[in-house]
Amino acid sequence: MAESVIRFAGSGLRVQPPLSLYIHLPWCVKKCPYCDFNSHAAQGIPETAYIDALLLDLERALPDVWGRKIHTVFFGGGTPSLFSAEGIDRILTAVRTLMPLLPNAEITLEANPGTVEAARFAGFREAGVTRVSLGIQSFNPRHLQALGRIHDGDDARRAAELAAIHFDTFNLDLMFALPGQTLAEARADLDIALAFRPPHLSAYHLTLEPNTPFGHTPPPNLPDDDLAADMQLAIEARLNEAGMVHYETSAYARPHHASRHNLNYWQFGDYLGIGAGAHSKLSFHDRIVRQMRTRHPQQYMDAVRQDRHITDVRSLTRSDLPFEFMMNALRLNDGVPAALFEARTGLPLFICAPALEQAQARGLMETAASHLKPTLQGQRFLNDLLELFLTG
């Protein structure tokens, strides 16, 4: 489709940022009531046809990223572990053929405990996946049922065991502030997770997203704000005690195990997204472009064949960029070097001076000139901090 963009008025980008590849596999066994991702309950997955579309999508995207090296690959969903190891191998083989993939690239695949088994994990590892991210959410059967999950606590434990066997690094996803959950139960989930010595752990507050069943009809007995805050503080303290660093709003990692793919997002790197509903952010010398692909899987597969699968293209304007950059960078508890702002946006940092002064005066950001870093208060009230950078 024709690209209609507004070029931003800046000094331009001297060096393009690192590039990641995101691959969206949109099917799940069952749609969870809290999920607002572009995922669809499987009525039989057209794996071969969908992979055909993915690879054609990737070929059509090559002119936008020609010659650029891929630093990380992330299979998200949906539930990517519903795809066969052979299918994942076919995708990664094509990626290596079409693009320069770094030899030590981090390749992550999201998996759910209800869909994994030893043979499949081994196959994913053989295909080149280096990291799995397991959507455990809870080990408590009552809470899993309340969340509409299809796995039970035993499935979750078995999946964590398999992840530890087959992968040097893996992530366990947990949620807290669940319906009827007590502080003791939140701590118990964490202790069970830590028994598997995960190199990385994500802990998310259950949120009631619009346009989800939970958004329309909230579940009963949700913890109040004070109890949820107590859970968050207890989780942070326990993980710190276990030697895990709280490096991003919801992410904790042992040394050298932070998610490199997600770090590239937070540091305002580039990413090419292929698949149904995937988003891209691509930097050129004189503009930064966001793209979105057709959301529905069948419509996406049809549209790729017609080269009409990119449904939205826009350039970030000069007024967009400060908020877009800070929305990512300030999720990192240690922030980013101040020089990264100009390197990734092509704009001088002084255009943010009024917002930075307000943030520092309100105790939301550190005052060091060489670093952009939220204070503990800024981490706790991140939305208030980010609003200062909205100029539109």
Side-chain angles (χ1 to χ4, degrees):
M1 63 178 289
E3 180 178 301
S4 175
V5 300
I6 302 171
R7 298 173 190 272
F8 67 85
S11 58
L13 297 177
R14 296 181 179 86
V15 178
Q16 288 175 309
L19 178 66
S20 293
L21 176 64
Y22 175 82
I23 301 170
H24 193 70
L25 307 182
W27 287 280
C28 291
V29 172
K30 176 186 174 185
K31 181 84 170 178
C32 295
Y34 57 84
C35 177
D36 69 340
F37 295 152
N38 182 33
S39 58
H40 304 263
Q43 304 293 327
I45 297 174
E47 181 173 309
T48 300
Y50 188 76
I51 293 176
D52 288 344
L54 281 176
L55 301 187
L56 181 56
D57 188 353
L58 183 59
E59 288 182 19
R60 295 196 191 284
L62 290 179
D64 283 340
V65 294
W66 193 253
R68 296 181 65 180
K69 295 175 180 171
I70 298 294
H71 291 244
T72 65
V73 179
F74 194 102
F75 289 91
T79 305
S81 56
L82 289 174
F83 275 58
S84 68
E86 293 76 16
I88 299 300
D89 180 66
R90 182 185 167 206
I91 295 168
L92 289 175
T93 298
V95 169
R96 293 187 187 97
T97 301
L98 294 170
M99 306 183 76
L101 180 65
L102 289 180
N104 66 339
E106 175 191 85
I107 301 176
T108 302
L109 182 138
E110 290 184 331
N112 279 348
T115 62
V116 296
E117 56 184 350
R120 187 167 285 186
F121 261 22
F124 292 148
R125 186 72 181 93
E126 188 175 342
V129 173
T130 65
R131 180 179 185 271
V132 292
S133 182
L134 276 173
I136 300 289
Q137 316 314 0
S138 177
F139 293 94
N140 185 311
R142 181 166 54 86
H143 297 142
L144 289 170
Q145 185 176 19
L147 290 173
R149 303 294 286 175
I150 62 170
H151 67 273
D152 60 24
D154 290 339
D155 292 330
R157 289 175 175 83
R158 179 63 179 151
E161 289 173 359
L162 295 176
I165 290 169
H166 291 292
F167 296 93
D168 295 330
T169 189
F170 61 93
N171 172 63
L172 300 183
D173 263 357
L174 293 180
M175 299 178 75
F176 65 94
L178 306 179
Q181 189 178 41
T182 66
L183 180 57
E185 287 171 331
R187 286 176 166 149
D189 269 347
L190 194 60
D191 285 338
I192 294 171
L194 286 173
F196 298 103
R197 295 194 56 78
H200 192 286
L201 190 143
S202 301
Y204 298 101
H205 188 300
L206 174 64
T207 53
L208 307 182
E209 301 288 355
N211 302 316
T212 66
F214 274 10
H216 294 306
T217 308
N221 302 318
L222 287 171
D224 61 27
D225 290 345
D226 288 341
L227 178 53
D230 288 343
M231 290 179 183
Q232 184 171 352
L233 290 172
I235 288 168
E236 185 169 1
R238 179 69 182 90
L239 290 173
N240 181 64
E241 177 186 289
M244 303 188 76
V245 177
H246 188 189
Y247 73 96
E248 185 270 335
T249 302
S250 303
Y252 301 77
R254 301 190 190 281
H256 313 298
H257 287 281
S259 167
R260 285 151 52 191
H261 186 87
N262 286 344
L263 278 175
N264 193 41
Y265 288 160
W266 310 141
Q267 293 167 352
F268 211 51
D270 278 0
Y271 49 94
L272 170 65
I274 62 172
H279 292 251
S280 301
K281 178 230 165 205
L282 299 172
S283 299
F284 302 89
H285 172 69
D286 59 348
R287 68 198 190 282
I288 298 174
V289 175
R290 288 201 180 277
Q291 301 173 338
M292 188 179 76
R293 280 151 169 76
T294 302
R295 286 180 57 84
H296 190 276
Q298 185 59 56
Q299 292 172 5
Y300 163 78
M301 289 186 282
D302 294 340
V304 171
R305 288 192 291 271
Q306 302 167 37
D307 199 12
R308 298 175 59 187
H309 56 295
I310 299 178
T311 58
D312 184 60
V313 181
R314 69 182 184 93
S315 273
L316 300 180
T317 66
R318 184 185 179 97
S319 60
D320 291 332
L321 283 165
F323 176 76
E324 290 268 351
F325 178 89
M326 297 297 178
M327 178 176 63
N328 290 281
L330 296 182
R331 289 184 64 97
L332 294 171
N333 290 353
D334 284 339
V336 295
L340 194 68
F341 180 83
E342 183 169 349
R344 295 289 159 86
T345 67
L347 299 173
L349 183 59
F350 70 72
I351 70 169
C352 297
L356 290 171
E357 289 170 4
Q358 285 188 62
Q360 291 164 0
R362 291 170 57 178
L364 299 175
M365 284 186 69
E366 303 282 356
T367 57
S370 62
H371 215 75
L372 302 170
K373 179 181 178 180
T375 61
L376 182 59
Q377 184 83 346
Q379 295 168 28
R380 295 277 186 259
F381 297 93
L382 184 59
N383 288 341
D384 293 341
L385 171 56
L386 294 177
E387 284 177 5
L388 300 176
F389 295 92
L390 282 171
T391 58

